[in-house]
Amino acid sequence: MISLTSLHESKSGHPVSDLGCARVLAVGTGEGASLGHLFVGGEDGEKRRVFVRCCRGSMDVDGEKLKVGDAFLWRPGASVRVDGPPLQAIAVVAPVRDPAGEGTAPAALLGLAVARAGAAEPSGAEPPAAPGADVFCRGSRPADLLDDVAVAWLSGDDAVLEPRVREFLRCMDGAAEPARHVARRGVAYGAREAMGTSISEPLTIPELAEACSTSPTVLKEAFRDEFGLPVYEWYRRLRMLRASEILGASAAAVAGVAAEVGYANASKFARAFTDCMGVSPSAYRAV
């Protein structure tokens, strides 16, 4: 089985993206770290939030089965086990925010205690959440943002990845919108949403622009400003992420997988997949 770690390392030169705001890495069967190692704890007792997105296989989290595209926020006491091996997942490991920091969300949202280690809990702070995990099913806002993290992480480009991780954490922290032009930001995310619902029949840039009630020029500029890549490049990588999920979950012929992500020609699909993922579709699926 192809390791997500090796795919990332082949493009980035290192197995883990350390972004300052968070670390992003692959875990699971054939990866550099297991789920168990991920949950042991941070160095020197550091409090961390650990978000995990299932990319292949399935897992049981507190009795709930998570499939590809689902994700969860782990906290001490949560029961996590591999349900459908082989498992591959992408993890975002971020520090717990200072409760006095601007935009800090309640502890109930973070799923972790807000008090600093060794300090008394601030007056009026939410009590620590009960043991367990918060699950984000595919299609939810957190899961969609982790889709974006996965696309950016597989590109191997930390300059593309860091804004996606910061946007995900901003959403989870309940922080205010960044000081950017709201309308153009809406165009970029509107296009991203349209892409996610049009995988098997990809939309053209004029069609995406029409769906966002804007011009192709504004769409292309707004999208690149927000996501760091041209519209078609991001769209292609999103489709290849979906293709990798299908390849890992079924024995469908490559031509059938190609059709599911909008390619009528299996050879063109194979070239696009190899360019994005670093290996051929058949090699990716091989166990």
Side-chain angles (χ1 to χ4, degrees):
M1 179 181 64
I2 297 296
S3 163
L4 294 179
T5 302
S6 64
L7 291 179
H8 178 70
E9 189 172 11
S10 68
K11 297 184 179 187
S12 67
H14 47 84
V16 178
S17 284
D18 194 341
L19 307 173
C21 63
R23 298 172 71 245
V24 186
L25 68 156
V27 294
T29 311
E31 301 299 344
S34 68
L35 283 172
H37 285 111
L38 186 67
F39 301 144
V40 165
E43 296 179 1
D44 302 322
E46 174 195 18
K47 290 186 177 181
R48 307 175 303 159
R49 291 172 289 173
V50 182
F51 300 92
V52 182
R53 180 194 187 274
C54 185
C55 297
R56 185 171 187 171
S58 62
M59 55 185 123
D60 183 289
V61 179
D62 285 341
E64 185 170 351
K65 185 172 180 177
L66 271 64
K67 304 181 294 297
V68 170
D70 295 338
F72 67 96
L73 164 61
W74 177 85
R75 57 177 178 254
S79 170
V80 181
R81 65 179 178 83
V82 177
D83 186 62
L87 175 75
Q88 291 185 324
I90 291 177
V92 176
V93 182
V96 176
R97 294 191 66 186
D98 185 335
E102 182 180 351
T104 301
L109 172 61
L110 298 180
L112 290 165
V114 297
R116 297 182 187 179
E121 188 174 274
S123 176
E126 295 281 345
D134 294 329
V135 172
F136 313 119
C137 294
R138 169 163 274 175
S140 65
R141 177 66 170 160
D144 285 347
L145 290 172
L146 279 172
D147 269 10
D148 293 341
V149 169
V151 171
W153 187 80
L154 286 170
S155 76
D157 187 345
D158 284 356
V160 174
L161 175 63
E162 183 174 357
R164 306 279 52 85
V165 173
R166 289 191 180 278
E167 176 64 12
F168 170 70
L169 294 176
R170 185 198 67 77
C171 176
M172 299 309 300
D173 290 338
E177 288 279 337
R180 292 201 290 272
H181 196 294
V182 174
R184 289 172 68 89
R185 181 175 163 82
V187 165
Y189 278 95
R192 168 61 182 83
E193 183 177 355
M195 291 177 192
T197 57
S198 303
I199 297 294
S200 60
E201 296 182 2
L203 301 173
T204 64
I205 286 181
E207 288 171 335
L208 285 170
E210 182 178 359
C212 298
S213 301
T214 191
S215 69
T217 299
V218 171
L219 168 67
K220 289 187 285 188
E221 291 175 353
F223 195 90
R224 183 148 198 165
D225 285 348
E226 183 66 32
F227 286 88
L229 289 173
V231 176
Y232 269 143
E233 179 64 17
W234 186 275
Y235 206 171
R236 184 174 67 129
R237 290 186 181 280
L238 177 63
R239 291 158 67 195
M240 294 307 107
L241 176 65
R242 292 286 181 270
S244 72
E245 294 170 351
I246 298 168
L247 287 165
S250 75
V254 170
V257 177
E260 288 195 54
V261 295
Y263 281 82
N265 185 298
S267 296
K268 287 185 178 179
F269 162 71
R271 286 195 296 271
F273 188 92
T274 302
D275 181 55
C276 286
M277 303 295 286
V279 293
S280 68
S282 57
Y284 181 85
R285 179 155 56 189
V287 176

